Amino acid sequence: MGSIAEPWGISESENANGTPKGLSRELRHGKTAHNMSSSSLRKKSDLRLIQKVPCKSLKNVLSNLQEVILGTKLAVLFLAIPLAVIADYYHYGRPLIFGLSLTGLTPLAERVSFLTGQLAFYTGPTVGGLLNATCGNATELIIAILALANNKVAVVKYSLLGSILSNLLLVLGSSLFCGGIANIRREQRFDRKQADVNFFLLLMGLLCHLLPLLLKYAATGEASASLINKMSLSLSRTSSIVMLIAYIAYLIFQLWTHRQLFEAQEDDEDDTYNDEVTVEENPVIGFWSGFAWLAGMTLVIALLSEYVVATIEDASDSWGLSVSFISIILLPIVGNAAEHAGAIIFAFKNKLDISLGVALGSATQISLFVVPLSVIVAWIMGIKMDLNFNILETSCLALAIIITAFTLQDGTSHYMKGLVLMLCYVIIAACFFVDQIPQPKGTGLGMQPKNSVGGGFVSA
């Protein structure tokens, strides 16, 4: 845009990454499903009034504010951010701080996806894909690290498990249901190849969760609880390293060798899509502006995540809800609402490949990247976090993966499949809503003191 001054310009015959304009559509096909999902919530900016500002520097600042802050349909939710800061400063009710912080995270997560898409115009689709893979679940990762810093291992495990369940059952289920209702007289089809790859990886992640759990039941009576926990911890750390290696291989597979399986496909003849969803062929902000905004929003996410972690127990006591229910159900629903809405919008437009890319891609990223990285970070911090999510939580994860795999096995969809997935999510939510059983010692689901392998857990 002419109103954005950057250290380098963009010639009329080239895009931001130096590629001729004639290839811009091919580059756009290289966008990830998360970027395409974010574009569905973009609001086209009207910069005519800003163009009349005489001061060039002020014009650039206002243009960036218009595109980044007001360029989303969720802009009104940004008001929750200063309100959360004010509520914390004046020591208002901690449940109120928790609710405001959770609400403020919703537009931030969507804007991070938008900014990584903007930076991809300058870095190219491959580096942009890597950036999106790193920042795609920044909220979950930041919350996990801050919770570990506060020795809240249970919150880490619950929130990451909830994100996987939410993507597999709620996001995918609501997408298939809404898409089936909107296209009830036409068959919805999708490419199974992408889904197959994700399910292979999800099943491998499930194996890494099952083995530490089964060690407890396979041990004989002669084995002490401390020995079993030590074995589980060692196995979990080894498995986490393997999972991270698998995730790196997945990125190579997705971004280099078989990227055609993961491209967000578009139909030229679909005028409804082109009219209602904004997909830019050129960037709307400059590289350094985008980088600065991305860094700033990451810091704000860290601040709100700190509020969430610090006030979650108070919200649990005040609302009469268990920490497990808030972490597994409420955190993922509210924190990823923007991404979820984007997936549903594309399902309405019969773009199931994009919806599947959002739901399955996010679940795979959390399972193979965020979870094992949390274990490694906890190891570095001297906190004993393993991959044993306890039998109830692991069973829910296993059944969610199996049910979703069966749902997508034939490459077609209708609203009944989505309805079943959503109802499964409701059943799991009801299970954790009524679950008031304190976690037994040695499960790792609790606030675990540093440098402690065995007992000494405080139940969540």
Side-chain angles (χ1 to χ4, degrees):
M1 261 183 162
S3 62
I4 303 173
E6 291 295 331
W8 57 82
I10 304 174
S11 68
E12 293 184 0
S13 61
E14 292 183 340
N15 288 326
N17 52 9
T19 305
K21 278 189 175 180
L23 296 180
S24 61
R25 193 163 182 80
E26 284 76 9
L27 287 175
R28 187 169 47 162
H29 283 180
K31 279 179 174 286
T32 64
H34 286 80
N35 292 134
M36 298 293 290
S37 175
S38 175
S39 69
S40 66
L41 295 174
R42 280 218 59 213
K43 185 170 61 177
K44 192 171 182 180
S45 301
D46 186 359
L47 302 177
R48 287 177 296 180
L49 183 61
I50 296 177
Q51 296 291 350
K52 299 179 181 179
V53 176
C55 179
K56 189 174 182 180
S57 299
L58 179 59
K59 185 190 300 184
N60 293 334
V61 172
L62 293 176
S63 297
N64 280 301
L65 287 173
Q66 176 73 26
E67 294 289 354
V68 178
I69 302 299
L70 302 178
T72 173
K73 298 174 183 177
L74 305 174
V76 66
L77 297 182
F78 278 116
L79 294 174
I81 298 175
L83 291 177
V85 176
I86 293 172
D88 178 70
Y89 182 80
Y90 287 102
H91 305 291
Y92 290 156
R94 293 172 71 81
L96 175 63
I97 299 173
F98 177 83
L100 290 172
S101 301
L102 205 56
T103 303
L105 288 172
T106 300
L108 288 172
E110 188 272 332
R111 291 287 84 185
V112 166
S113 180
F114 161 73
L115 290 169
T116 56
Q118 290 294 302
L119 293 178
F121 282 105
Y122 299 94
T123 61
T126 300
V127 178
L130 284 172
L131 185 62
N132 184 74
T134 305
C135 301
N137 293 100
T139 303
E140 289 88 346
L141 182 58
I142 293 173
I143 289 177
I145 294 175
L146 291 175
L148 286 174
N150 288 273
N151 294 328
K152 298 181 180 180
V153 179
V155 174
V156 178
K157 292 185 176 183
Y158 284 143
S159 63
L160 297 181
L161 171 68
S163 293
I164 298 174
L165 295 177
S166 173
N167 279 288
L168 290 179
L169 299 179
L170 180 62
V171 180
L172 187 58
S174 55
S175 297
L176 297 182
F177 178 78
C178 294
I181 294 295
N183 302 273
I184 198 167
R185 299 192 180 278
R186 59 191 294 192
E187 185 181 48
Q188 287 194 295
R189 304 189 66 87
F190 55 87
D191 189 354
R192 280 185 51 201
K193 296 176 183 177
Q194 176 189 167
D196 289 344
V197 173
N198 284 286
F199 281 121
F200 294 154
L201 295 170
L202 287 170
L203 287 172
M204 191 198 81
L206 175 62
L207 175 66
C208 294
H209 290 290
L210 279 173
L211 292 181
L213 173 66
L214 295 177
L215 275 177
K216 181 175 67 173
Y217 295 96
T220 62
E222 299 177 357
S224 63
S226 61
L227 177 60
I228 295 173
N229 286 325
K230 185 176 181 179
M231 293 164 53
S232 174
L233 184 63
S234 299
L235 176 59
S236 296
R237 289 171 174 174
T238 303
S239 300
S240 295
I241 295 173
V242 174
M243 293 165 77
L244 290 175
I245 294 173
Y247 183 71
I248 293 172
Y250 170 61
L251 290 181
I252 295 173
F253 184 85
Q254 180 184 24
L255 299 176
W256 278 285
T257 62
H258 291 71
R259 67 177 306 152
Q260 70 277 5
L261 299 181
F262 298 88
E263 288 176 351
Q265 299 296 327
E266 302 172 65
D267 296 330
D268 292 338
E269 65 274 11
D270 195 342
D271 293 330
T272 303
Y273 170 78
N274 292 328
D275 289 342
E276 298 181 15
V277 180
T278 303
V279 182
E280 307 89 353
E281 291 193 11
N282 293 292
V284 294
I285 62 175
F287 176 81
W288 291 112
S289 297
F291 187 82
W293 276 106
L294 183 61
M297 288 199 169
T298 302
L299 293 176
V300 177
I301 289 175
L303 175 64
L304 295 183
S305 298
E306 175 65 30
Y307 290 162
V308 168
V309 171
T311 58
I312 187 170
E313 286 92 355
D314 298 282
S316 172
D317 295 337
S318 176
W319 298 344
L321 301 174
S322 64
V323 172
S324 61
F325 180 81
I326 293 177
S327 302
I328 294 176
I329 305 301
L330 293 186
L331 274 179
I333 289 178
V334 179
N336 296 323
E339 188 177 85
H340 299 178
I344 294 173
I345 289 173
F346 277 103
F348 265 114
K349 301 176 185 300
N350 202 23
K351 304 288 180 180
L352 283 187
D353 285 324
I354 299 177
S355 299
L356 262 66
V358 171
L360 298 182
S362 184
T364 302
Q365 188 178 50
I366 294 169
S367 178
L368 289 186
F369 176 63
V370 182
V371 171
L373 185 61
S374 298
V375 174
I376 300 300
V377 171
W379 186 6
I380 296 172
M381 297 170 66
I383 298 173
K384 313 300 182 180
M385 174 181 172
D386 60 15
L387 292 175
N388 179 6
F389 279 25
N390 208 13
I391 188 167
L392 176 61
E393 290 79 4
T394 306
S395 298
C396 290
L397 176 62
L399 291 174
I401 294 174
I402 293 172
I403 292 171
T404 307
F406 274 109
T407 300
L408 303 178
Q409 64 179 338
D410 62 351
T412 62
S413 175
H414 46 72
Y415 73 87
M416 193 62 195
K417 290 184 176 181
L419 179 62
V420 171
L421 291 180
M422 288 193 297
L423 292 179
C424 289
Y425 188 77
V426 171
I427 295 171
I428 292 176
C431 174
F432 288 106
F433 181 79
V434 302
D435 180 23
Q436 301 293 332
I437 302 175
Q439 298 296 337
K441 293 182 179 182
T443 61
L445 290 174
M447 291 181 286
Q448 191 171 2
K450 294 185 179 181
N451 303 319
S452 169
V453 176
F457 297 96
V458 180
S459 67

